[in-house]
mmCIF file of all heavy atoms in Angstrom:
data_model
loop_
_atom_site.group_PDB
_atom_site.id
_atom_site.type_symbol
_atom_site.label_atom_id
_atom_site.label_comp_id
_atom_site.label_asym_id
_atom_site.label_seq_id
_atom_site.Cartn_x
_atom_site.Cartn_y
_atom_site.Cartn_z
ATOM 1 N N LEU A 177 -44.267 33.198 -12.604
ATOM 2 C CA LEU A 177 -44.203 32.592 -11.276
ATOM 3 C C LEU A 177 -42.862 31.924 -11.032
ATOM 4 O O LEU A 177 -42.324 31.958 -9.925
ATOM 5 C CB LEU A 177 -45.353 31.590 -11.090
ATOM 6 C CG LEU A 177 -46.738 32.197 -10.969
ATOM 7 C CD1 LEU A 177 -47.806 31.121 -11.001
ATOM 8 C CD2 LEU A 177 -46.859 33.021 -9.674
ATOM 9 N N LYS A 178 -42.303 31.325 -12.088
ATOM 10 C CA LYS A 178 -40.999 30.678 -11.953
ATOM 11 C C LYS A 178 -39.922 31.720 -11.634
ATOM 12 O O LYS A 178 -39.065 31.503 -10.753
ATOM 13 C CB LYS A 178 -40.659 29.947 -13.256
ATOM 14 C CG LYS A 178 -39.388 29.122 -13.217
ATOM 15 C CD LYS A 178 -39.304 28.263 -14.474
ATOM 16 C CE LYS A 178 -37.976 27.485 -14.533
ATOM 17 N NZ LYS A 178 -36.820 28.377 -14.795
ATOM 18 N N ASP A 179 -39.951 32.846 -12.312
ATOM 19 C CA ASP A 179 -38.965 33.916 -12.031
ATOM 20 C C ASP A 179 -39.090 34.400 -10.588
ATOM 21 O O ASP A 179 -38.075 34.619 -9.906
ATOM 22 C CB ASP A 179 -39.183 35.099 -12.991
ATOM 23 C CG ASP A 179 -38.606 34.832 -14.364
ATOM 24 O OD1 ASP A 179 -37.939 33.788 -14.553
ATOM 25 O OD2 ASP A 179 -38.814 35.678 -15.254
ATOM 26 N N ILE A 180 -40.305 34.602 -10.140
ATOM 27 C CA ILE A 180 -40.515 35.138 -8.783
ATOM 28 C C ILE A 180 -40.026 34.145 -7.725
ATOM 29 O O ILE A 180 -39.296 34.512 -6.804
ATOM 30 C CB ILE A 180 -42.004 35.476 -8.567
ATOM 31 C CG1 ILE A 180 -42.418 36.656 -9.446
ATOM 32 C CG2 ILE A 180 -42.283 35.783 -7.093
ATOM 33 C CD1 ILE A 180 -43.916 36.860 -9.526
ATOM 34 N N THR A 181 -40.433 32.877 -7.886
ATOM 35 C CA THR A 181 -40.045 31.887 -6.866
ATOM 36 C C THR A 181 -38.540 31.652 -6.879
ATOM 37 O O THR A 181 -37.915 31.425 -5.821
ATOM 38 C CB THR A 181 -40.837 30.570 -7.050
ATOM 39 O OG1 THR A 181 -40.731 29.771 -5.882
ATOM 40 C CG2 THR A 181 -40.344 29.741 -8.227
ATOM 41 N N GLU A 182 -37.909 31.749 -8.073
ATOM 42 C CA GLU A 182 -36.455 31.595 -8.142
ATOM 43 C C GLU A 182 -35.724 32.752 -7.459
ATOM 44 O O GLU A 182 -34.719 32.557 -6.773
ATOM 45 C CB GLU A 182 -36.003 31.487 -9.603
ATOM 46 C CG GLU A 182 -36.298 30.129 -10.224
ATOM 47 C CD GLU A 182 -35.885 30.033 -11.684
ATOM 48 O OE1 GLU A 182 -35.587 31.089 -12.275
ATOM 49 O OE2 GLU A 182 -35.865 28.915 -12.203
ATOM 50 N N ARG A 183 -36.241 33.965 -7.626
ATOM 51 C CA ARG A 183 -35.595 35.116 -7.010
ATOM 52 C C ARG A 183 -35.719 35.036 -5.466
ATOM 53 O O ARG A 183 -34.769 35.384 -4.746
ATOM 54 C CB ARG A 183 -36.231 36.408 -7.521
ATOM 55 C CG ARG A 183 -35.362 37.665 -7.277
ATOM 56 C CD ARG A 183 -33.980 37.538 -7.944
ATOM 57 N NE ARG A 183 -34.071 37.079 -9.310
ATOM 58 C CZ ARG A 183 -34.185 37.875 -10.362
ATOM 59 N NH1 ARG A 183 -34.219 39.178 -10.198
ATOM 60 N NH2 ARG A 183 -34.225 37.371 -11.588
ATOM 61 N N LEU A 184 -36.836 34.571 -4.994
ATOM 62 C CA LEU A 184 -37.012 34.399 -3.547
ATOM 63 C C LEU A 184 -36.064 33.329 -3.014
ATOM 64 O O LEU A 184 -35.509 33.460 -1.918
ATOM 65 C CB LEU A 184 -38.460 34.051 -3.214
ATOM 66 C CG LEU A 184 -39.472 35.184 -3.469
ATOM 67 C CD1 LEU A 184 -40.904 34.640 -3.359
ATOM 68 C CD2 LEU A 184 -39.265 36.325 -2.488
ATOM 69 N N GLU A 185 -35.871 32.266 -3.777
ATOM 70 C CA GLU A 185 -34.927 31.217 -3.390
ATOM 71 C C GLU A 185 -33.503 31.766 -3.352
ATOM 72 O O GLU A 185 -32.714 31.447 -2.457
ATOM 73 C CB GLU A 185 -35.021 30.049 -4.361
ATOM 74 C CG GLU A 185 -33.945 28.983 -4.214
ATOM 75 C CD GLU A 185 -34.005 28.193 -2.919
ATOM 76 O OE1 GLU A 185 -34.981 28.373 -2.148
ATOM 77 O OE2 GLU A 185 -33.080 27.414 -2.661
ATOM 78 N N GLU A 186 -33.163 32.608 -4.321
ATOM 79 C CA GLU A 186 -31.839 33.218 -4.346
ATOM 80 C C GLU A 186 -31.632 34.122 -3.111
ATOM 81 O O GLU A 186 -30.519 34.176 -2.554
ATOM 82 C CB GLU A 186 -31.658 34.040 -5.619
ATOM 83 C CG GLU A 186 -31.520 33.219 -6.877
ATOM 84 C CD GLU A 186 -31.604 34.052 -8.154
ATOM 85 O OE1 GLU A 186 -31.622 35.294 -8.048
ATOM 86 O OE2 GLU A 186 -31.653 33.457 -9.234
ATOM 87 N N ALA A 187 -32.679 34.808 -2.702
ATOM 88 C CA ALA A 187 -32.569 35.645 -1.499
ATOM 89 C C ALA A 187 -32.301 34.803 -0.272
ATOM 90 O O ALA A 187 -31.472 35.167 0.576
ATOM 91 C CB ALA A 187 -33.868 36.450 -1.320
ATOM 92 N N CYS A 188 -32.980 33.673 -0.157
ATOM 93 C CA CYS A 188 -32.748 32.783 0.976
ATOM 94 C C CYS A 188 -31.341 32.213 0.940
ATOM 95 O O CYS A 188 -30.664 32.103 1.963
ATOM 96 C CB CYS A 188 -33.797 31.673 0.974
ATOM 97 S SG CYS A 188 -33.859 30.782 2.547
ATOM 98 N N ASP A 189 -30.875 31.864 -0.240
ATOM 99 C CA ASP A 189 -29.486 31.385 -0.406
ATOM 100 C C ASP A 189 -28.490 32.455 0.057
ATOM 101 O O ASP A 189 -27.437 32.126 0.621
ATOM 102 C CB ASP A 189 -29.216 31.025 -1.854
ATOM 103 C CG ASP A 189 -29.889 29.721 -2.283
ATOM 104 O OD1 ASP A 189 -30.317 28.954 -1.419
ATOM 105 O OD2 ASP A 189 -29.989 29.500 -3.512
ATOM 106 N N ALA A 190 -28.820 33.705 -0.200
ATOM 107 C CA ALA A 190 -27.919 34.806 0.190
ATOM 108 C C ALA A 190 -27.771 34.865 1.706
ATOM 109 O O ALA A 190 -26.676 35.137 2.226
ATOM 110 C CB ALA A 190 -28.433 36.131 -0.360
ATOM 111 N N TYR A 191 -28.875 34.631 2.423
ATOM 112 C CA TYR A 191 -28.785 34.598 3.893
ATOM 113 C C TYR A 191 -27.915 33.446 4.352
ATOM 114 O O TYR A 191 -27.149 33.586 5.316
ATOM 115 C CB TYR A 191 -30.184 34.476 4.499
ATOM 116 C CG TYR A 191 -30.942 35.782 4.567
ATOM 117 C CD1 TYR A 191 -31.938 36.092 3.645
ATOM 118 C CD2 TYR A 191 -30.677 36.699 5.575
ATOM 119 C CE1 TYR A 191 -32.637 37.274 3.717
ATOM 120 C CE2 TYR A 191 -31.379 37.896 5.653
ATOM 121 C CZ TYR A 191 -32.350 38.184 4.718
ATOM 122 O OH TYR A 191 -33.034 39.371 4.792
ATOM 123 N N GLU A 192 -28.009 32.308 3.680
ATOM 124 C CA GLU A 192 -27.185 31.170 4.074
ATOM 125 C C GLU A 192 -25.710 31.458 3.821
ATOM 126 O O GLU A 192 -24.847 31.111 4.621
ATOM 127 C CB GLU A 192 -27.617 29.914 3.320
ATOM 128 C CG GLU A 192 -26.859 28.674 3.785
ATOM 129 C CD GLU A 192 -27.180 27.440 2.976
ATOM 130 O OE1 GLU A 192 -27.323 27.551 1.737
ATOM 131 O OE2 GLU A 192 -27.282 26.358 3.558
ATOM 132 N N ARG A 193 -25.401 32.100 2.687
ATOM 133 C CA ARG A 193 -24.015 32.437 2.398
ATOM 134 C C ARG A 193 -23.445 33.403 3.451
ATOM 135 O O ARG A 193 -22.278 33.300 3.851
ATOM 136 C CB ARG A 193 -23.890 33.062 0.997
ATOM 137 C CG ARG A 193 -24.075 32.053 -0.125
ATOM 138 C CD ARG A 193 -23.659 32.640 -1.466
ATOM 139 N NE ARG A 193 -24.514 33.743 -1.885
ATOM 140 C CZ ARG A 193 -25.638 33.594 -2.586
ATOM 141 N NH1 ARG A 193 -26.038 32.388 -2.940
ATOM 142 N NH2 ARG A 193 -26.355 34.649 -2.932
ATOM 143 N N LEU A 194 -24.263 34.333 3.895
ATOM 144 C CA LEU A 194 -23.840 35.252 4.934
ATOM 145 C C LEU A 194 -23.582 34.498 6.237
ATOM 146 O O LEU A 194 -22.539 34.719 6.908
ATOM 147 C CB LEU A 194 -24.903 36.333 5.151
ATOM 148 C CG LEU A 194 -24.715 37.264 6.343
ATOM 149 C CD1 LEU A 194 -23.385 38.023 6.241
ATOM 150 C CD2 LEU A 194 -25.890 38.222 6.472
ATOM 151 N N ALA A 195 -24.480 33.618 6.598
ATOM 152 C CA ALA A 195 -24.315 32.848 7.839
ATOM 153 C C ALA A 195 -23.074 31.967 7.785
ATOM 154 O O ALA A 195 -22.353 31.824 8.782
ATOM 155 C CB ALA A 195 -25.570 31.996 8.105
ATOM 156 N N ALA A 196 -22.809 31.370 6.617
ATOM 157 C CA ALA A 196 -21.607 30.553 6.457
ATOM 158 C C ALA A 196 -20.345 31.390 6.618
ATOM 159 O O ALA A 196 -19.340 30.934 7.209
ATOM 160 C CB ALA A 196 -21.628 29.858 5.088
ATOM 161 N N LEU A 197 -20.381 32.629 6.114
ATOM 162 C CA LEU A 197 -19.262 33.522 6.266
ATOM 163 C C LEU A 197 -19.025 33.825 7.752
ATOM 164 O O LEU A 197 -17.889 33.806 8.231
ATOM 165 C CB LEU A 197 -19.513 34.826 5.495
ATOM 166 C CG LEU A 197 -18.509 35.950 5.688
ATOM 167 C CD1 LEU A 197 -17.124 35.545 5.146
ATOM 168 C CD2 LEU A 197 -18.984 37.238 5.003
ATOM 169 N N VAL A 198 -20.096 34.148 8.477
ATOM 170 C CA VAL A 198 -20.001 34.451 9.902
ATOM 171 C C VAL A 198 -19.431 33.239 10.650
ATOM 172 O O VAL A 198 -18.569 33.387 11.530
ATOM 173 C CB VAL A 198 -21.363 34.863 10.472
ATOM 174 C CG1 VAL A 198 -21.301 34.940 12.011
ATOM 175 C CG2 VAL A 198 -21.810 36.208 9.891
ATOM 176 N N GLU A 199 -19.881 32.043 10.310
ATOM 177 C CA GLU A 199 -19.368 30.840 10.937
ATOM 178 C C GLU A 199 -17.857 30.720 10.706
ATOM 179 O O GLU A 199 -17.083 30.435 11.635
ATOM 180 C CB GLU A 199 -20.079 29.619 10.390
ATOM 181 C CG GLU A 199 -19.591 28.299 11.016
ATOM 182 C CD GLU A 199 -20.277 27.084 10.450
ATOM 183 O OE1 GLU A 199 -21.053 27.206 9.482
ATOM 184 O OE2 GLU A 199 -20.048 25.976 10.989
ATOM 185 N N GLY A 200 -17.419 30.942 9.479
ATOM 186 C CA GLY A 200 -16.007 30.849 9.159
ATOM 187 C C GLY A 200 -15.187 31.868 9.941
ATOM 188 O O GLY A 200 -14.074 31.570 10.418
ATOM 189 N N ILE A 201 -15.709 33.087 10.052
ATOM 190 C CA ILE A 201 -15.001 34.141 10.789
ATOM 191 C C ILE A 201 -14.883 33.766 12.274
ATOM 192 O O ILE A 201 -13.826 33.913 12.880
ATOM 193 C CB ILE A 201 -15.723 35.492 10.631
ATOM 194 C CG1 ILE A 201 -15.635 35.976 9.182
ATOM 195 C CG2 ILE A 201 -15.142 36.538 11.587
ATOM 196 C CD1 ILE A 201 -16.525 37.161 8.886
ATOM 197 N N ALA A 202 -15.988 33.254 12.838
ATOM 198 C CA ALA A 202 -16.002 32.890 14.248
ATOM 199 C C ALA A 202 -14.975 31.788 14.539
ATOM 200 O O ALA A 202 -14.271 31.828 15.543
ATOM 201 C CB ALA A 202 -17.402 32.448 14.664
ATOM 202 N N ILE A 203 -14.887 30.820 13.624
ATOM 203 C CA ILE A 203 -13.918 29.719 13.805
ATOM 204 C C ILE A 203 -12.496 30.257 13.681
ATOM 205 O O ILE A 203 -11.601 29.925 14.460
ATOM 206 C CB ILE A 203 -14.186 28.611 12.762
ATOM 207 C CG1 ILE A 203 -15.539 27.937 13.067
ATOM 208 C CG2 ILE A 203 -13.050 27.605 12.749
ATOM 209 C CD1 ILE A 203 -16.000 26.977 11.980
ATOM 210 N N LYS A 204 -12.269 31.114 12.681
ATOM 211 C CA LYS A 204 -10.927 31.651 12.458
ATOM 212 C C LYS A 204 -10.442 32.506 13.616
ATOM 213 O O LYS A 204 -9.262 32.467 13.985
ATOM 214 C CB LYS A 204 -10.928 32.469 11.163
ATOM 215 C CG LYS A 204 -9.576 33.046 10.798
ATOM 216 C CD LYS A 204 -9.590 33.667 9.414
ATOM 217 C CE LYS A 204 -10.444 34.896 9.342
ATOM 218 N NZ LYS A 204 -10.360 35.570 8.022
ATOM 219 N N GLU A 205 -11.359 33.287 14.203
ATOM 220 C CA GLU A 205 -10.975 34.233 15.255
ATOM 221 C C GLU A 205 -10.966 33.592 16.653
ATOM 222 O O GLU A 205 -10.512 34.234 17.616
ATOM 223 C CB GLU A 205 -11.931 35.417 15.249
ATOM 224 C CG GLU A 205 -11.904 36.275 14.008
ATOM 225 C CD GLU A 205 -10.736 37.229 13.978
ATOM 226 O OE1 GLU A 205 -10.032 37.357 14.995
ATOM 227 O OE2 GLU A 205 -10.500 37.861 12.926
#
Side-chain angles (χ1 to χ4, degrees):
L177 289 171
K178 186 170 175 290
D179 281 355
I180 293 167
T181 196
E182 284 178 348
R183 198 58 48 90
L184 292 169
E185 171 66 7
E186 289 169 8
C188 195
D189 287 344
Y191 279 102
E192 185 185 40
R193 287 192 295 271
L194 171 60
L197 173 65
V198 171
E199 180 181 7
I201 293 170
I203 293 170
K204 182 172 68 175
E205 295 281 351

